[in-house]
Every structure is written in C-alpha cells, then in structure tokens.
Amino acid sequence: MGSKGTCKAEKCDKDVRAKGYCERHYRSWRKGKLGKARHRSCNEAGCGKAPARRGLCLDHFGKKFGKAASDAAAAS
C-alpha cells in the first residue's frame, strides 16, 4: 500500500494512518485531545461525553430533567 504522507501534527514525521494523523495522534484526536474534537461535547463544564439531548450527555440530562429532578422540584 502506498504512503499517504506524513502526520499533520506539529513536529511529527510518521506516516499517516487516518484523518491526516499518525497512529498516536489519531488516537489522541479520537479522544478529543487534539485539535478539533471528534464530536461535540456535553454542555456541562468538564464533561467530554457526546451530547444526547438538549446539548447534554445522558448522565447530565437525567440529572437535570429526569424523574428524580422533577420530584425534587415538586417537593420544593
């Protein structure tokens, strides 16, 4: 198989695997640690999970809009 070029990460001259990155930098990109993230992330600060509904991941959506949150608001 022919060479696809070199990694586009700064100071890296390894062969490209995917998305213009070498194996190591491609894994970093997939985890959202390099450049533009692979996917949007949850709107909660510090959460890197993919959003499911209303810009929140399933965990944060459940805490904010779930049955337990509704019961707590009704009790107030």
Side-chain angles (χ1 to χ4, degrees):
M1 191 157 120
S3 176
K4 296 178 185 177
T6 57
C7 181
K8 65 182 179 182
E10 192 174 317
K11 298 181 183 177
C12 184
D13 59 355
K14 295 182 180 175
D15 289 334
V16 168
R17 175 184 185 254
K19 300 290 184 186
Y21 294 111
C22 66
E23 179 70 33
R24 187 181 88 196
H25 288 114
Y26 178 68
R27 276 185 270 137
S28 295
W29 174 81
R30 283 187 54 140
K31 293 177 183 177
K33 297 178 182 177
L34 186 65
K36 185 178 177 185
R38 180 178 179 197
H39 53 72
R40 296 180 306 133
S41 61
C42 178
N43 290 340
E44 281 294 315
C47 183
K49 295 179 183 178
R53 298 184 71 193
R54 295 189 183 181
L56 300 171
C57 67
L58 292 175
D59 295 335
H60 288 117
F61 181 82
K63 288 177 184 174
K64 189 168 185 176
F65 299 106
K67 184 169 176 17
S70 297
D71 292 346
S76 299

